[in-house]
Amino acid sequence: MSLEKAKNHLVKFGLEDRIRVAKESTATVALAAKAFGCEEKKIAKTLSFMLPSGPILVLTVGDARIDNAKFKHAFAAKAKMIKEAL
């Protein structure tokens, strides 16, 4: 979703002023936390994994790590991160 589309959507709820755009890089959780002046646990991150059935995205807090045993229990597959664009 583009920034403009996000702003237009949030107008319906009176939340358009809640969007913050960083001037610095936010390529990593640490950089994003620094750019927004918050703790890493306040940053949301998306991790991409490949399952036998196809790719999935896991959204989590910035300071979380994937527990391999819990992942395998939940998805019946080993946690294998996607390293390249599909």
Side-chain angles (χ1 to χ4, degrees), residues 25-63:
S25 173
T26 58
T28 66
V29 171
L31 289 173
K34 183 178 177 184
F36 290 110
C38 66
E39 299 172 81
E40 291 184 7
K41 67 183 178 183
K42 299 286 185 175
I43 300 295
K45 68 179 176 184
T46 306
L47 303 170
S48 54
F49 295 92
M50 184 58 76
L51 297 178
S53 59
I56 64 165
L57 297 176
V58 175
L59 180 66
T60 186
V61 296
D63 63 348

Side-chain angles (χ1 to χ4, degrees), residues 10-42:
L10 292 175
V11 165
K12 300 173 192 174
F13 307 99
L15 300 172
E16 66 276 13
D17 62 335
R18 303 282 304 269
I19 294 176
R20 293 175 57 194
V21 179
K23 294 178 183 168
E24 304 88 1
S25 173
T26 58
T28 66
V29 171
L31 289 173
K34 183 178 177 184
F36 290 110
C38 66
E39 299 172 81
E40 291 184 7
K41 67 183 178 183
K42 299 286 185 175

Side-chain angles (χ1 to χ4, degrees), residues 49-51 66-68 71-72 77-81:
F49 295 92
M50 184 58 76
L51 297 178
I66 296 299
D67 181 310
N68 289 323
F71 186 98
K72 190 170 186 175
K78 183 178 177 183
K80 183 179 177 184
M81 291 192 72

